[in-house]
Amino acid sequence: MPLGASRFGLLGGVADLGKLELIETQTASADSSVDFIDLATNSFNVYFLTMNLNSSTSNQHYLRLSTDNGSSFISSGYQYAFNRGTTAGSFFDAKSTSSTQINTGILSGTTTNRGNAYIYFYNLLDSSKYSFCTFHSFSTNGSDTRFTFGSGVLPTSATHNALQILPSAGTTSGTVSLYGIAES
């Protein structure tokens, strides 16, 4: 072991901070949503989600949280804000302080149009703090290519032990993976 490694505590038995641990990958095929339930069985302070989706119609993808392991998903009280830029050089801001879900800004359409994103979730299982997320996406819809970055929160202190990704209309297809970040 290099001398410097021992000085920084990089000896055996020490947690591998920041390591991504795959919890589950789901493949959707014309589904109304993609749900990750019972997060407490894989308890982390920070979760990381990746998405590669397309939809049956041109629409946005949203997310919702649950306090009952996914038996139902909360449909009010969300807040979000994002900025979107396009290859045409235009920019657009969207925000809400009273929404039925968090709009991630991921726009997708038919099978040739895709939306890709990553989302970090914080404090989901901490009942004394608000659950919030930050996201970044890249999507194409016809000749329109765009990027989005933003954040969302459910401003209630509760244990949110399930999450749902759903399209604004129609169905969604693609791959969604959920990871935990070790010792975060």
Side-chain angles (χ1 to χ4, degrees):
M1 174 183 305
L3 180 60
S6 64
R7 288 187 184 141
F8 290 103
L10 300 176
L11 302 173
V14 177
D16 192 1
L17 301 178
K19 178 181 175 187
L20 287 177
E21 296 184 21
L22 178 63
I23 296 169
E24 182 180 5
T25 296
Q26 292 189 38
T27 301
S29 179
D31 293 333
S32 60
S33 69
V34 178
D35 302 346
F36 292 92
I37 59 171
D38 199 14
L39 297 178
T41 59
N42 296 287
S43 181
F44 292 92
N45 292 328
V46 179
Y47 291 89
F48 178 70
L49 185 120
T50 61
M51 298 188 292
N52 181 358
L53 299 171
N54 65 308
S55 304
S56 60
T57 60
S58 179
N59 58 49
Q60 308 260 0
H61 280 85
Y62 300 102
L63 66 93
R64 289 183 173 163
L65 302 175
S66 172
T67 58
D68 59 11
N69 288 320
S71 293
S72 63
F73 287 89
I74 300 166
S75 60
S76 65
Y78 296 94
Q79 299 177 8
Y80 68 85
F82 67 77
N83 185 273
R84 175 182 294 146
T86 70
T87 53
S90 63
F91 290 88
F92 170 77
D93 294 324
K95 62 182 178 259
S96 175
T97 58
S98 178
S99 179
T100 58
Q101 63 261 324
I102 294 172
N103 184 344
T104 63
I106 302 165
L107 182 65
S108 65
T110 60
T111 56
T112 59
N113 301 320
R114 301 196 70 80
N116 299 283
Y118 62 84
I119 304 174
Y120 286 94
F121 294 93
Y122 305 91
N123 305 325
L124 292 180
L125 300 177
D126 190 335
S127 63
S128 67
K129 296 181 180 177
Y130 292 172
S131 295
F132 69 98
C133 66
T134 58
F135 51 86
H136 188 206
S137 68
F138 177 83
S139 52
T140 60
N141 190 21
S143 62
D144 185 19
T145 302
R146 55 182 70 189
F147 71 89
T148 305
F149 62 91
S151 183
V153 65
L154 183 56
T156 56
S157 298
T159 300
H160 297 109
N161 50 23
L163 59 94
Q164 179 181 65
I165 305 297
L166 65 157
S168 58
T171 60
T172 192
S173 299
T175 304
V176 183
S177 296
L178 181 66
Y179 301 82
I181 299 180
E183 298 298 309
S184 52

